Amino acid sequence: MTRHEKYMQIALGQAEEALAQGEFPVGAIFVHGDQILASGRREHSQEQNDTVNEIDHAEIVALRNLLNQNTTIPLAEITVYSTMEPCLMCYSTMILNGIRKIVYGYEDVMGGGTNLPLQQLNPLYKEMHIELVRDVLREQSLSLFKRFFSNPENNYWKDSLLSSYTLSQ
């Protein structure tokens, strides 16, 4: 098992917990060296929750958990592991906070943000060099999303491009 697979397994555990709670199955962890600094899973994605929102994505929850620790570790030295390609909000929030390495399992064909052409944007973004590692334990991540979209009780992005793409895999 590679280093990336080892940590993606842990992110998958977070995603499993989200799925068990009826949430969209995304999990994320922030790693420095061999130490897991923070973790998070998708929250408030379903209508049964009182606070449904599009802010509590796994990466944002994990980033908040990390920042609340007031760590002195440079964020550029941290690797993020996420079971799904970060959306545009998560991707831009992480890179604006200094994250420079992102590893993910399953591509988000509908809202993935990692193809944002940073070099074509304003100076703040032009200078950023982000390392992306795709498809780490993709099949395990895909399996979680298939379970989610196959469950008639889950209504989050039910009739979306992501749902139909996932179920056709």
Side-chain angles (χ1 to χ4, degrees):
M1 178 178 285
T2 69
R3 172 183 171 79
H4 289 328
E5 291 170 340
K6 171 186 170 183
Y7 289 114
M8 188 60 74
Q9 277 295 133
I10 297 166
L12 283 163
Q14 290 289 314
E16 284 276 3
E17 288 180 30
L19 184 61
Q21 294 175 359
E23 298 287 353
F24 194 58
V26 181
I29 63 168
F30 286 54
V31 176
H32 181 258
D34 289 325
Q35 182 181 7
I36 297 170
L37 301 175
S39 63
R41 59 184 171 270
R42 181 64 164 100
E43 299 175 359
H44 306 117
S45 66
Q46 294 286 5
E47 288 180 9
Q48 74 261 22
N49 295 317
D50 294 335
T51 56
V52 174
N53 68 63
E54 281 301 330
I55 298 170
D56 295 329
H57 289 200
E59 299 91 343
I60 300 298
V61 171
L63 181 60
R64 280 185 190 136
N65 291 337
L66 176 70
L67 296 175
N68 286 338
Q69 295 174 26
N70 296 315
T71 182
T72 58
I73 297 170
L75 296 184
E77 295 177 10
I78 293 172
T79 302
V80 175
Y81 291 86
S82 181
T83 57
M84 176 173 258
E85 176 186 3
C87 71
L88 187 57
M89 174 187 71
C90 293
Y91 182 63
S92 60
T93 300
M94 288 189 295
I95 66 173
L96 282 171
N97 277 279
I99 300 294
R100 295 297 181 259
K101 185 169 186 179
I102 300 169
V103 179
Y104 65 87
Y106 183 55
E107 66 276 10
D108 182 351
V109 298
M110 184 173 75
T114 63
N115 62 353
L116 182 66
L118 297 176
Q119 296 72 28
Q120 295 176 20
L121 299 177
N122 292 328
L124 174 66
Y125 302 97
K126 278 184 182 181
E127 304 299 318
M128 292 182 181
H129 300 285
I130 312 301
E131 182 180 347
L132 297 171
V133 180
R134 300 169 169 89
D135 299 331
V136 175
L137 300 183
R138 180 186 183 276
E139 292 303 313
Q140 289 90 326
S141 291
L142 172 61
S143 174
L144 291 175
F145 292 106
K146 280 186 174 184
R147 284 173 37 207
F148 178 84
F149 286 123
S150 295
N151 183 343
E153 293 179 19
N154 295 325
N155 56 15
Y156 185 72
W157 295 117
K158 187 150 194 83
D159 296 320
S160 68
L161 170 62
L162 180 60
S163 174
S164 60
Y165 175 81
T166 299
L167 293 173
S168 72
Q169 296 290 301

